[in-house]
Amino acid sequence: MVDVHELRRRVDELAARDANYRVFGASSHKYRFHAPVEEAVIAALEGAHGFRLPEDFRAFVLTVGNGGAGPSYGVIPFHGKDSEDYTDYKRLGTAWKYADAHNPEHLLWGDEDDQGDDDQEARQRAYWAACESTGAFYLCHHGCASRSLLVVSGPQRGEVWHDETANDAGLYPAVSAAGARLTFTTWYLDWIDTELAKLA
């Protein structure tokens, strides 16, 4: 696991190179962090809902900050009542269902009996219902209803996934350029490295 203090140093490096907030979303979070969470608060949530945060994210919220600077509009505070947080906290202990990309797009298709807008809305509701995000919480939003999540329960625990259900593209794991699945730390560092390269 990457030292969280080193991670914070890398954010400071990016902030110093981006004083005019050219990086997408930086003008929103301004490379600042919310106050860290106390251990007792996290432990109480974990105990109440039957999950444990992945160790790297746990260290982040306990030491660096509970959300703030990060990809796009920044990391959403964990259990911080953010308007973009659609996490079902009571079901974080339920295992994440998917091992690979999941997009039941066939549910969106019509047929010759399509009755118009009502049928389309029903299909859309069925599609969203078939793309459950239980066992994961929302990490950030990228605009246009695109979001990233961190899985906390089940075999994929610790992986970052993308939620593109609002754009009919389903749920799929975040991966590096080499195809490796990303954890919170590797996802976060990938953001820093990508933006530093753009600013070079």
Side-chain angles (χ1 to χ4, degrees), residues 30-54:
K30 295 181 168 59
Y31 299 106
R32 297 174 186 155
F33 294 96
H34 300 292
V37 181
E38 294 183 4
E39 167 74 29
V41 173
I42 294 297
L45 283 168
E46 292 172 331
H49 302 307
F51 72 96
R52 183 170 173 83
L53 290 178

Side-chain angles (χ1 to χ4, degrees), residues 8 33-39 42 59-67:
R8 179 61 188 266
F33 294 96
H34 300 292
V37 181
E38 294 183 4
E39 167 74 29
I42 294 297
F60 181 85
V61 298
L62 291 171
T63 308
V64 178
N66 185 22

